[in-house]
Amino acid sequence: MSNLTRRFGMVVRRHRVARGWSQEEFADRAGLSRSYSGEVERGNSTPSLATVLKIAEALGASPSVLVEEAELDIRPGGVRVARSPASSLARL
């Protein structure tokens, strides 16, 4: 899978854990199977746009915020640096 897919899964997991939700609770809120939500979190499955919307709604976040977080590179010390200016969806 692509690095963006892997990073998106990490972002979803971080948001889920921050809310104190189990994978099962998150999957129920998003209308997904627990096994599929786990595949997304591990970066083993690339979610469709419809699934990204379900995930964002369940997390109470904008889909663009989740994707933007996935596009950012977390550097030592917590500094966030855009991975590639050309890759930003906001610039399309």
Side-chain angles (χ1 to χ4, degrees):
M1 287 292 141
S2 75
N3 283 335
L4 180 59
T5 299
R6 183 181 52 78
R7 289 190 312 266
F8 182 79
M10 292 168 57
V11 168
V12 170
R13 178 178 289 153
R14 185 170 54 239
H15 279 265
R16 174 183 62 79
V17 170
R19 285 160 179 74
W21 297 343
S22 66
Q23 280 187 337
E24 186 172 357
E25 182 176 1
F26 167 65
D28 286 344
R29 289 172 181 264
L32 305 171
S33 72
R34 196 219 45 83
S35 61
Y36 181 69
S37 67
E39 290 289 313
V40 170
E41 285 190 4
R42 288 187 297 279
N44 293 333
S45 184
T46 304
S48 68
L49 181 55
T51 300
V52 171
L53 292 172
K54 287 180 178 183
I55 289 169
E57 185 175 308
L59 294 172
S62 163
S64 61
V65 167
L66 298 177
V67 172
E68 183 178 359
E69 285 184 37
E71 287 184 314
L72 297 177
D73 185 13
I74 310 278
R75 297 287 168 92
V79 176
R80 293 178 176 210
V81 180
R83 296 202 47 90
S84 169
S87 71
S88 176
L89 295 177
R91 292 180 179 85
L92 294 179

